[in-house]
Amino acid sequence: MKIKKVDTPALAKIFLEIPLSLYASDKNYIQPLNEDVESVFDRQKNGLFAIGDCCRWVLFDSHGKAIGRIAAFFDTISAKSYAQPTGGCGFFECINDQEAAFALFDVAKEWLKQQGMEAMDGPINFGSRERWWGLLVDGFVEPCYCSNYNPPFYQTLFEAYGFQTYFKQYTYRRLTDGNIDDRYAAKAKRVLGMKGYHFDHVKRHELDRAARQFRMIYNKAWVNHDGVGKMTEEQANKLMKNLKPIVDPIGLWFAYYEGEPVGFFISIPDVNQLLVKYVKGKIGLRGLFVLLWNKWFKRCKTLFGIVFGIVPEHQRKGVEVGLVMESARVFINKKAKTGYAELQMNWIAILIPR
């Protein structure tokens, strides 16, 4: 076997296309948009290159066939937020072969050591956490947009190399049919009746305000977690700009206390259902037509919760239950208008004590 650093357009193309052969017989695999993957490694588009670096490799077998890939990366802000300097690896794809997988892990580890890192987290993204983050170990169904998807044997390869669970991420799903559990409905009712709190989703003309509110809450609710740095105004605006073509304002919920934003619950239509699964990696004119067609005829059945946060001083007061239940009530009552048949909540994390 031979490992080659991705340093030419030809190798970058191979890196991008390796999953197509590995998942050729997997009916649940959805090819991501090429642009979404390539933008992670584009120095002009990924601002983390200003405070870090990234390297990619492709693994070939003795016959010259590409059988695996991996990327390693770090940024100085996230690296220093851990007890020991920590970098990441991601975009790992490999045949079911321990020797091949270990060769990829080794090259990523050695590169990170050369950058001054003492630990390697993975598989993660060289970018925001709502994309390409975590190893799938249960629930091998069609993934939602930019969610990591991998075969079951990846868990064996990672653990055999020495990776240990740092935290668990969960995705929860519920149908919009049926009633809300009485216990949660009662708790939500108490919160909704508490003086000073109210919950609402934004309107389409309020997206700029939503970006400001999101950044304000995020920097209070998430910044104390390992590996999470403060979100800049530029990052918040970019996130909202990227969401604008597909966002449904009914999914952008905020909790307020005496008029000040104290929590958010951000959901988007599943772009895989709207577009990605139909275009084989490239949008083009056909893709734009597919997107408009699917939005108009409400063919997206999943509203996908990508991030949730409550500022510390309002945590453990039931605000999170009130926010989720009030939004769920609207989703259910407006099902006929929106077409959403299910709600998924992604990135619910539980830190594992070390």
Side-chain angles (χ1 to χ4, degrees):
M1 293 184 290
K2 184 175 183 179
I3 291 182
K4 292 185 179 181
K5 178 182 176 181
V6 176
D7 55 8
T8 67
L11 285 170
K13 185 173 185 291
I14 293 173
F15 182 93
L16 190 66
E17 295 178 348
I18 281 177
L20 301 183
S21 59
L22 295 179
Y23 294 94
S25 60
D26 189 335
K27 63 181 178 62
N28 290 321
Y29 176 74
I30 296 176
Q31 181 183 355
L33 294 176
N34 294 344
E35 182 181 356
D36 284 338
V37 178
E38 290 174 328
S39 64
V40 174
F41 308 106
D42 189 327
R43 293 180 179 273
Q44 304 302 315
K45 295 181 179 179
N46 189 343
L48 288 179
F49 277 104
I51 55 172
D53 204 358
C54 175
C55 194
R56 292 182 285 168
W57 300 267
V58 173
L59 178 66
F60 296 87
D61 65 14
S62 58
H63 302 289
K65 180 182 178 181
I67 57 172
R69 73 179 193 186
I70 199 167
F73 33 78
F74 74 96
D75 73 83
T76 54
I77 294 178
S78 296
K80 293 177 181 178
S81 69
Y82 293 89
Q84 54 191 151
T86 301
C89 68
F91 297 89
F92 172 86
E93 300 289 0
C94 188
I95 60 173
N96 191 3
D97 181 277
Q98 183 170 291
E99 182 182 0
F102 281 19
L104 290 166
F105 293 144
D106 280 344
V107 72
K109 180 182 70 174
E110 291 304 315
W111 184 85
L112 286 171
K113 287 172 66 176
Q114 292 170 15
Q115 315 308 313
M117 300 296 109
E118 298 176 7
M120 178 167 70
D121 190 12
I124 62 173
N125 179 33
F126 188 42
S128 53
R129 293 189 172 212
E130 85 279 1
R131 294 187 170 202
W132 324 123
W133 207 279
L135 184 73
L136 183 65
V137 298
D138 191 18
F140 297 92
V141 298
E142 279 193 4
C144 283
Y145 180 60
C146 290
S147 295
N148 258 355
Y149 178 84
N150 54 261
F153 67 80
Y154 277 19
Q155 181 178 4
T156 301
L157 296 177
F158 272 83
E159 291 179 347
Y161 190 73
F163 283 93
Q164 298 179 39
T165 303
Y166 184 63
F167 60 76
K168 296 181 179 180
Q169 297 171 216
Y170 291 90
T171 293
Y172 290 93
R173 169 182 178 266
R174 71 153 289 156
L175 301 178
T176 52
D177 286 334
N179 297 320
I180 297 173
D181 188 293
D182 289 341
R183 293 171 298 169
Y184 300 113
K187 188 173 183 179
K189 186 176 182 180
R190 289 197 299 271
V191 175
L192 292 171
M194 290 173 64
K195 186 177 181 180
Y197 287 105
H198 78 278
F199 308 85
D200 199 6
H201 64 84
V202 304
K203 311 304 184 284
R204 186 164 294 278
H205 67 276
E206 298 175 325
L207 292 180
D208 289 341
R209 180 169 67 89
R212 293 193 297 272
Q213 293 182 166
F214 176 80
R215 177 183 173 232
M216 181 190 309
I217 299 166
Y218 181 93
N219 285 343
K220 290 182 179 180
W222 280 95
V223 77
N224 291 325
H225 292 260
D226 283 348
V228 180
K230 282 192 173 182
M231 177 176 286
T232 66
E233 182 179 357
E234 181 183 4
Q235 289 173 321
N237 290 335
K238 182 179 180 181
L239 174 63
M240 202 57 63
K241 180 180 179 181
N242 289 340
L243 292 179
K244 194 171 183 178
I246 52 90
V247 74
D248 186 339
I250 200 175
L252 306 182
W253 278 83
F254 287 88
Y256 301 89
Y257 179 70
E258 296 183 348
E260 292 296 316
V262 297
F264 57 62
F265 177 28
I266 306 299
S267 302
I268 62 172
D270 180 18
V271 185
N272 279 356
Q273 293 181 21
L274 280 175
L275 169 69
V276 179
K277 65 187 297 182
Y278 305 104
V279 298
K280 296 182 179 180
K282 299 179 181 179
I283 298 178
L285 290 176
R286 178 181 178 275
L288 293 175
F289 174 78
V290 168
L291 175 63
L292 293 173
W293 177 274
N294 287 338
K295 287 183 69 174
W296 180 261
F297 288 100
K298 299 179 175 58
R299 295 185 63 185
C300 176
K301 301 304 179 183
T302 299
L303 198 62
F304 184 44
I306 58 173
V307 66
F308 183 92
I310 305 292
V311 300
E313 55 267 36
H314 290 273
Q315 293 174 2
R316 298 181 177 86
K317 293 184 178 181
V319 178
E320 63 282 354
V321 176
L323 182 57
V324 171
M325 291 300 103
E326 180 66 3
S327 59
R329 181 186 64 79
V330 173
F331 298 151
I332 292 170
N333 290 343
K334 294 190 176 183
K335 177 184 176 181
K337 181 178 179 180
T338 65
Y340 299 124
E342 69 170 14
L343 172 66
Q344 290 193 24
M345 293 179 65
N346 190 36
W347 235 103
I348 311 301
I350 298 177
L351 184 67
I352 306 300
R354 307 307 299 168

